[in-house]
Amino acid sequence: MEKKFFDFIIHGGDYNPDQWIKTPEIWDEDMRLMKLAHINSASIGIFSWSMLEPEEGVYNFEWLDKLMDMLHENGISAILATPSGARPAWLAQKYPEVLRVAENGIRNEYGVRHNHCLTSPVYREKVRNINRLLAERYKNHPALKMWHISNEYSGECHCELCQQAFRDWVKEYYHNSLDELNDKWWNGFWSHIITDWSQINSPKRRGENHVSAMELCWNRFVSESHISFYENEIAPLREITPDIPITTNFMRMHKEINYQDFAKHLDLISWDNYPFWDKGYNRDEAAETAFVHDVFRSMKDGQPFFMMESTPSNANWHEVNKIPKPRRQALAAIQAIAHGADSVQYFQWRKSRGGHEKFHGAVVDHCGHENTRVFREISRLGAELEKLGDVVGKYSNAKVAIVYDWENGWAIDHFCGYNNVERNYVKECIKWYRPFRDKGICVDVISADGDFSKYNLVIAPFLYMLKDGLDKKIERYVENGGKFVATYLTGIVDKDDLCYLGGFPANNLKNVFGIWCEETDSLPKGMKNKASYAGKDYDVVHVCDVIHSNGAEILGKYKEDFYAGMPAVTENSFGKGKAYYVAFRNDDDFAADFCKKLIDEAGVDSDTEISVPQDVFVRKRGDCVFIMNFADCEKSVMLDKEYADLINGLTVSGEVTIPECGYLVIK
Ligand code: GLA
Ligand code: ZN
């Protein structure tokens, strides 16, 4: 499959020349430097509202007209932002309702950014208005290639408008029935029966924070409020520029917004990638980043995405902002492309002179010229990306899926019980992802609503919440020949966090897995049990289920405590497929060892014949194979045949040496 927004890899990033409006020579210099750095796109106007509308109803678009023209004349595409992420001071002063109210009930003062009420009709109207003007003005401008909506939507607002909107949301969700609400929230507990919708408030530390079903409603409401805020923003853009694709930049596994839901509203996914490199655990960072790329790639059925931001050197917001090693950033960029990105973009093009981010990495440093290590690396990478046009638009074909579900993540965060310290949902998903990544096997990371039938193997770690019909979906999938893996604490609650009655895992899943979970144990820090599997012992940490087999084959058993000898790993043939249950958590090799069996039985293979040493990642996209060295030293890789090296224009075969932070893209 293929879906292209451009015919080449986008290389660019956040560009804020409005900060340099008084020094037009810097604008000219930027154009010269951008061409030197092989930059073909600029994300502009992200925080430009006060420059565009210095007073209410008084507009100044001239500088942006000039910028759009300059970009076009220099062959650079504009990814034009809507400015709602930060607002002019006059707007907040005149209409205080646009500012957010914090969880403590106090309205924020004007300042920082991402500080707007999600409900305020005034703010929504003002945003629509400025967006309409932007669309009208640039609808026919040849530089305009994409909309960048706002910036990193996040946060929540507890103002009275939002409270009322929440009440309305809950009322609709529970079909206008207080009785249903009281049942679903189990309000008989602690005498919390609600008799009027007005008694509902947002969750707060000084108020209600012990009703997990209500907190789930709040999560859903906040997430949907962001989406509806976005829908309000894009209405004029869709109307005036129907052919210009729309995206908004997501953050790494950000929890507040259900991105899997939001994805349906976007033309393409983009996300901001800020790993912590060179702090001593690059291997983990590389695996986690690979996982996150695959999360975002999977959101629109594998459609290529954009890496909208990354730092060209260091960030400024870590406690200590170590400079990554030379070429590390290029390696991370190549990793993004290998996993389905069609862009490498930076925050930021030029370091600002003042303000909060003046020490954040940029392509152009305060020295202002191109004779820097960072600039040279970026332009080298830019030239390399120009040679990788073949992968643009290309999908990957995964036969394995990991289920990572936003709503399940919320539910896991809210419940009280078992191990309240070590929840680790994302970490658990990555643990089951890595064995495949290490072997070059492509994995999709999908929500629980995804289509399982496309995959030979589906692994759903810690699937605590089973939304309506999910048990039946798993049952059908296995019945029809699928291989499904579940772990401890699976199938415990429904979408309202109400426990399933009749034993875990819920409903007929007991038959699908051929087990019954009678109890769940939790292990305090430092305490371990052991489980044996295939002749090896594994530590059991944090949490484990005490299960009985009702027909499942027992592949592994606990070794200690009163449940020693009871099943810890099971396999059940059901219909044409198999359901596996891993009843415990292990932090070492268990997933990797068990996945060898799964890979075999599910018949999933690496997309390439090239096998790589530890810490070297291999991934195929289209006809291209990416080999990336994340080890702290050079590594050699044996190629299975002759390939064309796309970056160096050579033919390569046999043993090749890849330097630290090096990579090879071959075809
Ligand atoms: C985020 C924002 C950018 C900038 C960078 C700094 O991703 O979107 O505006 O603040 O962080 O790393
Ligand atoms: Zn509000």
Side-chain angles (χ1 to χ4, degrees), residues 97 99-101 107 117-120 157-162:
E97 72 162 59
L99 294 177
R100 224 165 251 191
V101 170
R107 193 176 296 279
C117 170
L118 308 180
T119 307
S120 158
C157 174
H158 296 259
C159 78
E160 205 29 63
L161 292 166
C162 288

Side-chain angles (χ1 to χ4, degrees), residues 129-143:
N129 176 57
I130 190 79
N131 291 3
R132 174 171 293 279
L133 294 174
L134 283 168
E136 284 291 358
R137 195 163 185 104
Y138 301 111
K139 63 182 177 208
N140 295 320
H141 199 290

Side-chain angles (χ1 to χ4, degrees), residues 82 84-85 100 114 116 118 123 127 131 148-156 222-223 225-234 247-251 254-257 259 262 266 272:
T82 63
S84 67
R100 224 165 251 191
H114 304 152
H116 62 263
L118 308 180
Y123 197 55
V127 168
N131 291 3
H148 176 300
I149 306 304
S150 199
N151 188 68
E152 294 189 338
Y153 284 122
S154 59
E156 55 188 39
V222 169
S223 182
S225 299
H226 281 290
I227 296 171
S228 102
F229 186 90
Y230 157 89
E231 283 292 342
N232 170 74
E233 281 218 35
I234 67 163
T247 189
T248 187
N249 50 339
F250 286 162
M251 289 180 273
H254 180 74
K255 282 185 179 173
E256 281 164 328
I257 303 174
Y259 285 159
F262 204 148
L266 300 170
D272 300 344

Side-chain angles (χ1 to χ4, degrees), residues 20 26 29-30 33 348-352 362-365 368:
W20 303 91
I26 292 227
E29 182 63 355
D30 281 334
L33 290 170
Q348 48 191 336
W349 166 252
R350 179 185 282 275
K351 275 189 186 171
S352 41
V363 182
V364 182
D365 213 322

Side-chain angles (χ1 to χ4, degrees), residues 47 113 151-152 249 272 274 309 317 347 357 360:
F47 299 110
R113 55 178 175 176
N151 188 68
E152 294 189 338
N249 50 339
D272 300 344
Y274 292 96
E309 292 180 26
W317 45 264
F347 180 88
E357 294 183 320
H360 191 290

Side-chain angles (χ1 to χ4, degrees), residues 545-588:
D545 286 347
V546 179
I547 61 172
H548 301 272
S549 164
N550 282 335
E553 190 184 332
I554 299 169
L555 304 179
K557 291 182 177 172
Y558 291 113
K559 296 195 74 173
E560 287 163 20
D561 218 324
F562 71 91
Y563 43 94
M566 290 180 76
V569 189
T570 60
E571 169 181 328
N572 195 42
S573 295
F574 184 86
K576 293 189 217 135
K578 277 185 182 176
Y580 308 83
Y581 200 86
V582 177
F584 65 101
R585 184 182 284 180
N586 164 269
D587 266 348
D588 306 314

